[in-house]
Every structure is written in C-alpha cells, then in structure tokens.
Amino acid sequence: MKKNVIAAAALLSIGLSGNVLATDIGVVVKIGGIPWFNAMEEGIENKAEELGVTAEMIGPVSADPSLQVQAIEDLIAKGVDVIGVVPNDEAALEPVLEKARNAGIKVISHEGPGLQNVDWNFELASAQGFGEAHAELLASKIEGAGKYAVFVGSLTVPLHNAWADAAIAWMEENRPDVELVGERYGVAENVDDSRATALDLMAANPDLKGFLAFGSQGPIGAGRAIEERRKVGEIFVLGPFSPGQGAKLVHSDVLTGGFMWNPMQAGEVFVTLGKMLVDGDEITAGTDIPGLGVIEPDAVNKDIITDNLLELNKGSVDELAAKGL
C-alpha cells in the first residue's frame, strides 16, 4: 500500500511539473559567443522563468548554415514544442523547418522575413526603415564625392541583405556622388574578417569615406581598421552593434553610431510568442504582445513587423551598455 501511495505521489508530482513546464522551446541563432546573442540568450532565459516554461538557446560555433540545420534536427528529435531561429541562409533551412512543422512543432523566426515554413516571423524594425536610417546618417556625415562599402553577415543572411538593399537604393537616389565599392561583403559576423576587409578596401580606394556594416561584428572590425590607419574623422563607420562592445569606439569617434533593437527583447519575444502559439492564442490585428506592442500582422506573409529602434550615439550608448546590451 505504501509503495502505491509513493508511486501515486510521484506521478502527481510529474503531472504538476508537466503543467508548469508544459512548453519546451529551442532557439537556434546565427552564431554563439558574441555579445548580441549573449544578450538574446539572457532574454530567453528570463522570460522562460517568468512564464514557467523551459527554453534554451543554441548558438553554433560558426555561421555555417549546415550547423543551424543540424541544431534544428536535434530539436526535432528531442520533441520540443517550439523552434525559434535567426537564419543564416533561408533556403538551407526551409526543408528542415518544413520537417519540424510536419512533426507538429511551432516555428518562429526573427530576421527571416522570406521564410515560408514558419508560423510567424517577427521583426523589431522594418527592413526598409532600418536600411534607410543608416544610409541617411552616413550621407549626413560625408561631404562631397567619394566611395562607401557595405558589409553584411553573409551573402545569404536575408535581413542583412534587405537592409543593404534599402540603404544602397537610398544612397543611389539621394547621394549619387557617393559610389558603392563592389556590391557587398559577407564578413560582418566576424571582427577579424571585417577588419581585414576594411583594411584591404581602404588600401585599394583612397577616396573611401564610409562603411555601412550590417551585422554586429562588422562595425567593430571596420572601426578597428580605421583606427589602425588613423582615419578617424575621415572615414565613417555605421551599423548595429552591441553597446557594451562598441561604447569606447563611439566615444573616441571611431564609430559614428547607428541603430539597433534590443536583442534581449527579441529573446523574450521568442518565448512569449512561442507560448502563445502552443496555448492556441490567436495572433490577429490588435493583439498586444509583450515586447512587440499592439501588432498589425501580415497574415499572408506570416510577418509581424514593429518599430522598436534604438539610436546608438554618445548620448545613449553607455545607458544601453549598462543594461547589459
């Protein structure tokens, strides 16, 4: 009899735990170990604790799309309820995300506005607005004719390239006297690659006057390059970066600034939206989603796009860094 009571208590305990931790979420990001995704991981963990769900972030050791595919395969095998992804290559991920959805797993992406096999993609800034804001800021700094270069995380990162498209189009229309060098360079997820590419471009283009670097390590690497070549004040570097990583470069005028959103907030949204989907909550116009606000979703393209931009400059960077960003 005593054994039966103990067994029943154990089953009750498991059942209660199952109710509390009913949702299991895995978020696969572009690369692990860099400040931007460290902040996102903190947001994931904090929101998971608040909502009483389990959630983990998986950060591959490099931006190789095949590593993201493998991480998602592992989550499918684990049987999670929700898979989140910040894609390096949309085309490479479509088959494995389709497999996840066929297995009944909810799929959420961030920085993946072209993905088809998702329940929702969310953005904290519109691609056009984000790209144009950076282009306009660069144009305001460059006096006279010259050249500029564009960095992206890789040539297959969808949102980085959408930002670049918008920025380049704005420059062509509004500053035709400032010429684009090449098309774009897929180095902005690596400080060393960004630095080396910036050094090469400066050597080959004495009239180079700016870098638009879309990818959190791009501005840092390009900034170090212009510092080495003593081009501070002559060549301007703009783009999204982690405030804690770039604050000193901003204050020394190596980085002109840029715009970002809060990656910690994006991590929180992954968890909030994931739990809503598992709970069967409707995502419709007027829905108030913590971290996104009241939304007007594009149900056809499965996009939720909001405007939550933060400006990076001398007046804001220290406060943002103090928040752990």
Side-chain angles (χ1 to χ4, degrees):
M1 180 70 176
K2 185 177 180 181
K3 287 182 180 179
N4 289 339
V5 171
I6 293 172
L11 286 171
L12 178 60
S13 175
I14 292 170
L16 290 173
S17 297
N19 289 335
V20 175
L21 301 175
T23 303
D24 193 4
I25 301 169
V27 180
V28 179
V29 299
K30 294 176 185 175
I31 188 169
I34 65 174
W36 185 272
F37 290 116
N38 291 342
M40 186 175 290
E41 184 171 29
E42 186 175 348
I44 290 168
E45 292 174 350
N46 289 345
K47 185 57 71 170
E49 183 176 359
E50 177 188 330
L51 296 181
V53 304
T54 58
E56 63 174 332
M57 189 187 87
I58 299 94
V61 296
S62 78
D64 181 350
S66 68
L67 297 179
Q68 288 195 310
V69 171
Q70 184 57 57
I72 293 169
E73 289 279 11
D74 292 344
L75 289 172
I76 294 171
K78 182 181 175 183
V80 298
D81 300 296
V82 180
I83 290 176
V85 63
V86 186
N88 281 316
D89 185 332
E90 289 185 344
L93 292 181
E94 291 287 15
V96 72
L97 294 180
E98 182 179 21
K99 180 178 178 180
R101 296 188 78 206
N102 288 341
I105 298 170
K106 303 296 184 183
V107 175
I108 302 168
S109 63
H110 173 53
E111 299 186 32
L115 281 168
Q116 299 300 308
N117 287 292
V118 297
D119 290 273
W120 287 104
N121 172 74
F122 73 91
E123 308 295 349
L124 297 174
S126 71
Q128 183 171 346
F130 194 77
E132 289 182 352
H134 281 91
E136 190 169 357
L137 183 57
L138 177 65
S140 73
K141 300 297 179 180
I142 295 177
E143 296 182 2
K147 294 178 181 176
Y148 76 105
V150 173
F151 290 176
V152 292
S154 83
L155 301 182
T156 59
V157 174
L159 197 55
H160 289 194
N161 285 279
W163 297 337
D165 290 341
I168 292 167
W170 190 95
M171 291 292 287
E172 286 176 349
E173 181 176 353
N174 295 278
R175 286 299 303 270
D177 58 325
V178 183
E179 179 188 347
L180 178 65
V181 175
E183 175 57 24
R184 63 198 68 176
Y185 301 86
V187 294
E189 295 293 4
N190 185 289
V191 170
D192 294 332
D193 290 347
S194 296
R195 172 187 163 274
T197 303
L199 289 171
D200 289 344
L201 288 171
M202 284 190 288
N205 300 276
D207 55 347
L208 190 70
K209 293 189 175 180
F211 290 96
L212 286 178
F214 297 120
S216 67
Q217 302 306 294
I220 306 300
R224 290 178 183 175
I226 69 161
E227 193 172 32
E228 285 179 40
R229 290 293 180 264
R230 299 183 180 181
K231 294 291 186 179
V232 175
E234 298 177 36
I235 300 177
F236 303 97
V237 180
L238 292 85
F241 54 87
S242 294
Q245 189 180 21
K248 289 183 179 179
L249 296 176
V250 172
H251 287 296
S252 61
D253 294 318
V254 174
L255 294 183
T256 300
F259 302 88
M260 62 171 284
W261 60 87
N262 187 337
M264 192 180 301
Q265 185 177 345
E268 293 172 355
V269 172
F270 266 123
V271 178
T272 299
L273 190 54
K275 186 174 188 302
M276 290 177 71
L277 291 176
V278 170
D279 290 348
D281 294 342
E282 278 195 84
I283 310 297
T284 58
T287 301
D288 190 352
I289 301 177
L292 292 175
V294 177
I295 62 167
E296 293 292 333
D298 178 350
V300 174
N301 294 308
K302 304 176 183 177
D303 283 327
I304 302 171
I305 299 174
T306 64
D307 184 11
N308 286 279
L309 281 185
L310 305 173
E311 186 168 358
L312 296 164
N313 54 38
K314 289 181 180 180
S316 66
V317 71
D318 291 333
E319 182 181 350
L320 293 170
K323 294 179 180 179
L325 299 178

